[in-house]
Amino acid sequence: MKITFLGTGTSQGIPVIGSTHPVCLSNNPKDKRLRVSIMVQWDDNTFVVDCGPDFRQQMLRANPEKIDAILFTHEHADHTAGIDDIRPFCYRQGEMPIYAHQRVIEQLKIRFEYVFATKNRYPGAPKVKINQITNEAFSINNKQIIPIEGFHYKLQVFGFRFDRFAYLTDIKTIAEAEIDKLKNLDVLVINALREESHISHLNLEEALQLVNVIKPKRAYFTHISHLLGFHDEVQQKLPNNVFLAYDQLEITI
């Protein structure tokens, strides 16, 4: 299984528009982060988790031949606003399967009514095949996927476990029963926004504490703000099995 980090930034990305913060002015490519998303590939299968406003740019540089489905963690714009840019895939493949909580699907229907329209559809609109998921395991192309439920302040969000890999983003709290689903991981990806506490995201200390509880072989932090600091400096402070993810990083499990 190959994981490609399509984006590792927070909702504003890095650099932040108009910011003169030193991290935003960095020339290090690892300090330049699009909105958070991953691509998961195995055999002839390609899946994307979240489809944010940088989706087109991410697809151009990753250049997958196809996408078999999109899984959504939750409905916030930095995770969903790129859905119109699935059009080239729809033109080649037909309707795009999407997997999401019912609440997320209802929000997408409001924001992107033309995508979900069943009557008088605009001819060029993308078309999706809705798959509503709950906090129960499901399968896509013979691969079992286990949802992991967390909370983004008071908003329910899903992470996903694929075999011995798990991806969690935008969480602040997670129940013990959900942590139990994360045993025996080779790789855990989890959000670590900044050093200062945040109302709806794990900060660096909290993310490290959760890694110590889950005990994956390796952990990667994502959904990173410029306020966390320079990539290379932060990496030097982390344990040997914990890494800052960066855009276009590829890992194989």
Side-chain angles (χ1 to χ4, degrees):
M1 181 184 296
K2 184 172 81 169
I3 313 299
T4 303
F5 289 85
L6 301 173
T8 56
T10 186
S11 57
Q12 297 184 85
I14 305 175
V16 175
I17 295 171
S19 175
T20 57
H21 188 282
V23 173
C24 293
L25 300 178
S26 170
N27 291 322
N28 185 348
K30 293 180 180 179
D31 286 323
K32 300 183 186 301
R33 303 180 186 276
L34 300 181
R35 266 62 73 91
V36 68
S37 177
I38 60 167
M39 183 167 64
V40 183
Q41 296 174 295
W42 67 89
D43 299 331
D44 189 38
N45 300 291
T46 300
F47 294 85
V48 170
V49 180
D50 287 334
C51 178
D54 299 316
F55 181 76
R56 176 180 177 275
Q57 184 178 352
Q58 291 166 343
M59 291 297 95
L60 286 172
R61 69 184 187 183
N63 198 30
E65 293 182 3
K66 64 182 178 66
I67 295 178
D68 293 287
I70 300 172
L71 286 65
F72 287 102
T73 59
H74 63 296
E75 64 267 39
H76 283 170
D78 54 323
H79 299 259
T80 61
I83 196 168
D84 185 75
D85 285 321
I86 67 173
R87 283 182 293 154
F89 295 103
C90 293
Y91 296 159
R92 293 194 298 268
Q93 302 169 205
E95 60 185 9
M96 175 69 70
I98 63 171
Y99 291 77
H101 189 284
Q102 179 182 4
R103 184 197 72 247
V104 177
I105 292 169
E106 294 307 315
Q107 285 293 313
L108 291 174
K109 287 180 177 179
I110 294 170
R111 300 176 194 179
F112 300 96
E113 183 275 336
Y114 66 98
V115 173
F116 295 85
T118 56
K119 296 180 180 179
N120 300 318
R121 284 181 52 82
Y122 178 70
K127 189 172 184 180
V128 298
K129 180 179 181 181
I130 297 170
N131 295 274
Q132 181 179 314
I133 59 175
T134 62
N135 196 14
E136 299 289 338
F138 60 97
S139 293
I140 307 178
N141 294 5
N142 298 316
K143 176 75 72 178
Q144 185 185 63
I145 301 171
I146 301 173
I148 311 295
E149 186 175 73
F151 283 86
H152 183 35
Y153 186 41
K154 297 181 180 180
L155 180 70
Q156 179 270 352
V157 299
F158 275 143
F160 300 102
R161 177 170 180 161
F162 302 75
D163 298 335
R164 296 172 72 90
F165 167 80
Y167 179 78
L168 306 176
T169 187
D170 288 52
I171 68 164
K172 176 66 174 182
T173 56
I174 183 170
E176 192 69 34
E178 300 302 304
I179 291 176
D180 288 343
K181 298 179 183 179
L182 297 168
K183 294 179 178 178
N184 302 314
L185 288 176
D186 286 340
V187 173
L188 169 68
V189 178
I190 194 164
N191 55 296
L193 185 72
R194 62 191 191 191
E195 290 192 3
E196 184 183 352
S197 180
H198 191 275
I199 193 171
S200 60
H201 287 278
L202 296 170
N203 67 1
L204 181 61
E205 180 182 6
E206 292 165 336
L208 286 168
Q209 289 173 349
L210 196 51
V211 168
N212 286 335
V213 171
I214 296 171
K215 293 180 169 44
K217 291 181 180 178
R218 288 180 287 159
Y220 291 83
F221 291 156
T222 193
H223 205 287
I224 294 164
S225 162
H226 64 291
L227 298 175
L228 186 60
F230 292 103
H231 181 282
D232 291 348
E233 292 181 4
V234 176
Q235 182 61 61
Q236 290 176 6
K237 303 174 185 177
L238 297 178
N240 290 336
N241 67 329
V242 179
F243 307 90
L244 286 190
Y246 54 88
D247 288 21
Q248 302 186 80
L249 170 64
E250 295 180 356
I251 60 175
T252 301
I253 302 170

